[in-house]
Amino acid sequence: MKQRDFFFDNAKFILMAFVVFGHLLNTYIHDSETIYALYKTIYSFHMPAFILVSGFFAKGFYQKGYLGKITKKLILPYIIFQLIYTVYYYFLYDRSAITVDLLDPQWSLWFLISLFCWNIMLLGFSKLKPSVGIGFSLIIALLIGYIDNISNYLSLSRTFVFFPMFLIGYHLSKEHLKKLFTPKVRLASLIVMLVIFIGFYLNTDINYKWLLGSKPYAELEDATIVSMFKRLGFYGLSIISVFSFLSFIPRRQYFFTNWGKQTLYVYLLHGFFIRFFRESTIQEYFSNTESFIMLAGLSLLITVLLSSEMIASMAQPVIELKATKTKRFMTKTKDYIKQAFFFFKIRFLIRLSSRKDSTSIP
């Protein structure tokens, strides 16, 4: 059990760092073919992997009180941050009025409402055989692209498009995942990721929006029967990419493992940094290979900062409507202050004692 927890906590932290990095890279995707290929490679696995992991942990959806629990965990933060981001964008973009629409998710908040819907959809799909349920959800996802009205509103497009990945995660077991950690699989995964990157690099005309799952076919190309098979191809690409990525996740506990438990905070809060970055002149300082390495470092720094205990203790009352982490952090802070005061007091007494001894020498 511990090993599983370490693996998923490690995966969530690393994936979150890629989410932040991908959002920062978005500004530069039209400036460099290499950056554009890297961007599409990241998007081929980072959110699909997050969704798969979320599905893996949805196995307890049938337990009593589960629906109320996920409503509090997902819908309440969604409403709160929908309002907060609306006000933030009003000032950031100097808009003429504040318009609140709770049914049109602000930017990355789509994940919360989709995750809530995926859990609800399990009530029906979990009763089907895995192959039948996944196949049926895949058919719905392929056909939904022909409905032009289904887009970002209520996150309907992403909800249907990414549900097969969530359902795959739900049906996964630890035994399935153990097969990823052999040297042969990891070598094959490395080759696969390189091939995917090279493929995107050589085919610059591939529209990255196919990977977002947020648009109907008509907004990506002239909707034909071929569009459905293109989406199917991207499904295959994402599945291969996701499992290739997961094969490299360490299973032991490391210094960053506990940070993986705070990814919801990072996901909800990093948008303030990203949107400010895109509107500021800071982005102009990142223009070559060396600076993009620094950009990756900045992504990691933001992820570490927002997943820290200090930020969690400050944000928990807003995100989770409780203050257990806040109280725990305040208690630890008081203990540290007491220890520091005691330490300096001892040092002061030692110095005072040494001075008295020196003055008493004839």
Side-chain angles (χ1 to χ4, degrees):
M1 182 64 69
K2 283 187 175 181
Q3 195 173 52
R4 182 205 68 183
D5 290 341
F6 294 155
F7 169 78
F8 282 108
D9 286 337
N10 292 338
K12 288 191 291 182
F13 175 78
I14 296 171
L15 281 169
M16 197 66 245
F18 273 112
V19 169
V20 177
F21 187 42
H23 286 158
L24 287 175
L25 277 182
N26 180 268
T27 305
Y28 309 98
I29 58 177
H30 299 299
D31 299 337
S32 166
E33 292 179 356
T34 303
I35 294 300
Y36 194 30
L38 177 61
Y39 179 81
K40 286 185 283 190
T41 302
I42 291 173
Y43 269 74
S44 72
F45 70 83
H46 74 351
M47 284 313 297
F50 247 124
I51 293 164
L52 182 138
V53 169
S54 299
F56 184 89
F57 284 105
K59 291 178 172 59
F61 79 96
Y62 54 85
Q63 295 176 355
K64 185 178 180 180
Y66 185 82
L67 182 59
K69 181 180 178 181
I70 63 169
T71 300
K72 183 179 179 181
K73 184 178 180 179
L74 300 174
I75 300 302
L76 286 180
Y78 168 78
I79 294 172
I80 292 169
F81 276 84
Q82 185 78 347
L83 297 173
I84 292 174
Y85 272 111
T86 298
V87 175
Y88 179 64
Y89 292 159
Y90 168 77
F91 289 104
L92 182 65
Y93 300 115
D94 195 22
R95 293 175 176 171
S96 58
I98 295 178
T99 304
V100 178
D101 187 351
L102 294 178
L103 302 181
D104 189 9
Q106 294 280 12
W107 196 40
S108 60
L109 297 183
W110 69 267
F111 181 70
L112 297 183
I113 196 167
S114 288
L115 183 55
F116 177 79
C117 292
W118 294 327
N119 278 275
I120 299 300
M121 291 163 73
L122 279 180
L123 294 173
F125 279 86
S126 64
K127 297 177 182 179
L128 303 174
K129 292 182 179 180
S131 57
V132 175
I134 294 171
F136 185 42
S137 68
L138 194 59
I139 291 172
I140 295 174
L142 295 176
L143 294 178
I144 211 75
Y146 291 106
I147 304 176
D148 295 345
N149 294 330
I150 292 184
S151 186
N152 191 59
Y153 200 71
L154 268 175
S155 190
L156 286 175
S157 180
R158 284 184 168 116
T159 297
F160 287 112
V161 170
F162 286 123
F163 183 60
M165 192 64 69
F166 183 85
L167 203 53
I168 291 172
Y170 172 77
H171 289 297
L172 275 181
S173 65
K174 289 196 297 181
E175 286 67 32
H176 291 135
L177 292 171
K178 285 180 180 179
K179 297 177 182 179
L180 298 175
F181 307 127
T182 64
K184 289 183 179 180
V185 171
R186 283 175 171 165
L187 177 60
S189 297
L190 177 61
I191 295 172
V192 164
M193 296 303 288
L194 288 173
V195 169
I196 291 174
F197 173 79
I198 294 171
F200 280 133
Y201 181 80
L202 296 176
N203 296 276
T204 56
D205 58 332
I206 295 176
N207 190 343
Y208 74 92
K209 292 181 180 179
W210 281 99
L211 298 166
L212 304 182
S214 60
K215 304 294 181 184
Y217 298 141
E219 292 190 33
L220 300 171
E221 61 179 14
D222 293 331
T224 65
I225 191 68
V226 177
S227 303
M228 181 173 62
F229 289 101
K230 280 189 179 180
R231 175 162 284 174
L232 185 62
F234 280 106
Y235 271 122
L237 177 70
S238 287
I239 289 173
I240 293 171
S241 184
V242 165
F243 285 109
S244 295
F245 167 80
L246 291 177
S247 70
F248 291 105
I249 299 298
R251 292 176 288 168
R252 296 179 182 178
Q253 185 174 23
Y254 292 90
F255 66 93
F256 58 84
T257 301
N258 285 333
W259 292 334
K261 300 175 183 178
Q262 316 277 20
T263 50
L264 178 62
Y265 296 91
V266 187
Y267 192 82
L268 290 173
L269 298 174
H270 82 285
F272 296 106
F273 293 87
I274 303 300
R275 291 297 189 177
F276 177 78
F277 176 86
R278 292 180 181 179
E279 294 301 313
S280 70
T281 57
I282 300 174
Q283 59 180 289
E284 298 173 4
Y285 293 96
F286 299 91
S287 57
N288 52 45
T289 303
E290 290 77 12
S291 62
F292 284 115
I293 295 174
M294 293 176 59
L295 194 68
L298 177 61
S299 305
L300 184 61
L301 180 63
I302 292 173
T303 308
V304 171
L305 174 65
L306 296 182
S307 58
S308 66
E309 187 176 353
M310 180 182 69
I311 296 298
S313 67
M314 294 168 60
Q316 190 192 33
V318 178
I319 294 176
E320 300 184 48
L321 300 181
K322 59 183 181 179
T324 54
K325 294 180 180 179
T326 307
K327 292 178 181 178
R328 186 164 61 244
F329 181 77
M330 292 299 294
T331 301
K332 285 185 178 181
T333 302
K334 289 180 181 179
D335 290 340
Y336 288 144
I337 293 174
K338 287 180 180 179
Q339 291 175 8
F341 178 77
F342 180 76
F343 173 76
F344 286 114
K345 182 179 179 181
I346 294 297
R347 289 196 63 181
F348 174 77
L349 292 175
I350 292 174
R351 286 185 178 182
L352 184 63
S353 177
S354 63
R355 285 180 181 179
K356 287 181 178 180
D357 291 341
S358 61
T359 54
S360 63
I361 298 176

